[in-house]
Each structure stands twice: as C-alpha cells, then as structure tokens.
Amino acid sequence: MNKDTLSRRVLLQGAGLVAAGLGSRVLAEIAPKPTGTRLTRLGEHLYVYHGPINVGIVRDGPTALLIDCGDASVVDALPGLGITSVGQVVFTHHHRDQACGAHVFATEGAKIRVPEAERSCFDDVASYWKNPKDRWRSYNALPRPIVLAESVRVDGTLKNDDTIRWGAATIRVLATPGHTEGAVSYLVKVDGKRVVFSGDCIYDEGRLWDLHSLQDGGDETDDYHGFMGARKELAKSLLRIKTTAPDVLVPSHGQIMSDPPRAINTLLKRMDTCYDRYVAISALRHYFPKMFRRYAGRKHHMPIGPGKPVPDCLHHFSTTWVLVARSGAALVMDCGSRQAADWVRKLLDEGKIRKVEALWVTHYHSDHVA
C-alpha cells in the first residue's frame, strides 16, 4: 500500500481512536499529517476540512463537533489540531456524500443529530430501499437515490431556530430546504465571526452544485415535469441565510465565500435567468399553460407552432398510441401500464380494432413498457 494512502481498516481504526478519546499520539502514527491545503482556519475554534466535501470542525479544547462528516477522512486532520475526540456530528442533509462516514463516529459514541424532517433517511433507510416505488417508476419523487446504504443510529433531531452550545461557539439551525426537502444550514457564531455552513444550497458565487435536485412539480404538476421546481423554495432558503448577515459562507461542495450577499444575489438572478431560458423553448407551455402564465407573451420565447388534429386512424391513451389499418389490424406503440392494456382490450371488445398484429416499443422506460 502506498504510504500516503490509508486503507479502509486503518481509517476506521484511526477514527475509532479519535472518537474514543484515546489520544492523538497513537493516531498520528497511522494517519498522514494534514497538509495546509486540506484545512482552512476560520478562527481559533473553527476550521474547515476539505475532503470529498467541506466538513466543519468546531473545537472545544480537545473535543470537536463536526458539521457533516463526508467519508470520515476528516479524522486525518484532527490530531494536528490537538483534537482527540469527536463528541457530536450534525448534518445539513441526508445525501450519502454528506454522511457515508457517519457509522465510524456513531460506533465510537459520538452523538449523531440530523434534520428533523429527514430522520428516516438516516435511521430507517431499509424502508426506502425496500419500497419498489423508490427503485422503479420513480417519476414523481424528488431525486433521492443517494440515501445511505445502511441505517445509522440517530441520537437527536434538529429543526429551524434550534440552538447548540459548543464551547465558545453558538450554533443556530436554519431550515433551508431546496436541495433536499428537509435540509438545514448552521450559523456558527464564534471568534467574533458569523459563519454559515450552507450544505448544498450554493456552490460558489452565482453557482449551484447541481440542478437535478431541484426537480419538483410542487402543486402545479408532477415532479417528472417539474424542472427547477424547487427553485422558489431554495430562493427563500438563500434569503433566510442572507438575513442572518453571515461573514462567511461554507458550502458542502465548492468554494468558501467571503461576500455572502453578493454570492447569494448573483445565484438568485442566475436561477431566474436559467428558468426563463428553459421556459423559452419548453413544450410544456402547451401541455400545462397554467404553470407558465407569468411568462406569457415574452418576446424572446419560442412561439408554439400550430397543431393539427389527430387522424381517425390513431387512438391515444397515456403513453400508448394505436395505429389502425382499414382492415382493422392494429399496431400498438408502447404499453406502459395495465390500464393501457385494458384500454386496448376495450377497443377490441368495441370492434374499433379487429386484431393487434404488432407492438412497437419506442424505448425501455417503464412508463412505456411496464
């Protein structure tokens, strides 16, 4: 094994020593020395570890509270800070990149606290993975395939305006849904600074970590058609962060931001512009006109072309089309549900088609083949 690379076993051993409070000397012997590029010091009691995600380290003497933990490789950096134990880990949201190392700390006795609305995504993941709707035909659910593979013990939950006292630090919980339905951020007041750990609300000035997580139909349509549907909720969350007047923003992915108002304002403008450009070419304006009333008449939007009536030889149900020849023979295009199959049988019973001679499948998605 390369001397600069920790095996999983060594990593777990190191994490156990840290969490158990067995001292930094032994850990230092098996863990590589932290480098300056992997840590950012925000104050005497506050650091950011830059691993697969940015992990907050709030120090109270030799004990730390972590904000998210990523893959637990943060343990490599703790001995160099004089930290010998992790007493608590709090999470911004449930995604696996935030929490895949949580078992390491939970096993060794650190308290695990999670957003109240997302508790089941930590301590009852079996219910998620055993539900066929979460694995198949997941058209109408927010993207959640990156929940933990195994449950982790949860010692407490956190909700908006809850407060944590940790040594010299006061930590306030901010409800900031958008990236996930129950996400929170943490305003850490310590060493004369106000620092918000914002999860994946923002990546950098005017930038997001991803758009996919904003897929949400809300009250207007299903999630399948809800491109950037959670942008309004995310905008409210960003404004909630802004009103706390932070000096620094620390995202889970991306760059630490020293001008939070500018970073947030730029992102809000760009989200509006992005959605406007989407609407400009979206055919959904034809299918769901109520969703886009506020965009009606914008000059730079592509006009919807004139349609033509469907000829009598075509019949339609959901994603299924039936082309009927003069002889009554039928070509069925896609059949996504039992209801669609029953509809075809009804056409047969009513004499509208004589025989189904072929089934043409356009693609493999379950709403076309199930």
Side-chain angles (χ1 to χ4, degrees), residues 117-353:
E118 297 190 353
R119 176 169 188 157
S120 65
C121 295
F122 287 88
D123 67 0
D124 188 24
V125 299
S127 294
Y128 172 82
W129 290 115
K130 289 179 180 179
N131 187 346
K133 292 191 296 184
D134 292 326
R135 301 194 305 273
W136 319 112
R137 298 185 64 83
S138 56
Y139 297 100
N140 293 318
L142 280 173
R144 290 170 59 185
I146 51 175
V147 299
L148 291 171
E150 298 176 351
S151 292
V152 63
R153 186 194 75 246
V154 170
D155 299 294
T157 60
L158 296 162
K159 62 184 184 303
N160 190 52
D161 279 336
D162 280 351
T163 299
I164 302 169
R165 307 285 183 181
W166 190 261
T170 300
I171 305 170
R172 177 186 165 198
V173 182
L174 306 173
T176 51
H179 180 72
T180 66
E181 295 167 286
V184 301
S185 297
Y186 297 96
L187 170 63
V188 181
K189 293 186 281 187
V190 68
D191 302 329
K193 292 185 178 179
R194 301 168 65 86
V195 180
V196 170
F197 289 82
S198 56
D200 284 320
C201 288
I202 188 169
Y203 176 88
D204 197 356
E205 181 178 325
R207 301 174 69 187
L208 283 173
W209 169 237
D210 78 319
L211 284 176
H212 180 59
S213 61
L214 299 182
Q215 192 82 11
D216 182 15
D219 297 328
E220 297 175 316
T221 183
D222 51 46
D223 291 347
Y224 183 79
H225 295 102
F227 176 74
M228 286 188 74
R231 72 193 185 283
K232 295 178 183 178
E233 191 171 40
L234 179 59
K236 292 178 181 178
S237 295
L238 290 167
L239 290 173
R240 181 174 292 119
I241 291 172
K242 183 180 172 183
T243 59
T244 66
D247 301 302
V248 179
L249 270 183
V250 182
S252 290
H253 299 90
Q255 307 302 313
I256 295 176
M257 289 155 271
S258 59
D259 190 346
R262 186 174 72 179
I264 290 172
N265 290 341
T266 303
L267 177 55
L268 292 173
K269 290 178 182 178
R270 288 181 178 175
M271 284 199 301
D272 284 343
T273 299
C274 180
Y275 191 73
D276 176 78
R277 296 297 183 265
Y278 158 73
V279 175
I281 59 171
S282 175
L284 293 186
R285 288 176 293 149
H286 170 75
Y287 296 105
F288 305 104
K290 292 182 180 179
M291 290 176 57
F292 305 104
R293 283 175 177 169
R294 60 173 294 202
Y295 297 91
R298 297 198 178 187
K299 293 182 179 180
H300 64 277
H301 285 197
M302 183 183 294
I304 297 175
K308 293 184 178 181
V310 176
D312 293 338
C313 61
L314 276 175
H315 301 269
H316 178 235
F317 178 88
S318 186
T319 60
T320 299
W321 287 86
V322 176
L323 175 61
V324 185
R326 289 189 179 91
S327 65
L331 167 64
V332 176
M333 291 170 278
D334 294 336
C335 192
S337 66
R338 185 176 300 277
Q339 290 79 8
D342 291 342
W343 170 72
V344 173
R345 292 190 186 95
K346 185 178 180 182
L347 294 180
L348 284 164
D349 294 341
E350 293 176 348
K352 293 181 180 178
I353 59 177

Side-chain angles (χ1 to χ4, degrees), residues 17-18 21-29 78-80 82-84:
L17 290 170
V18 170
L22 298 181
S24 60
R25 181 184 60 81
V26 177
L27 179 59
E29 294 176 359
L78 299 179
I83 294 172
T84 59

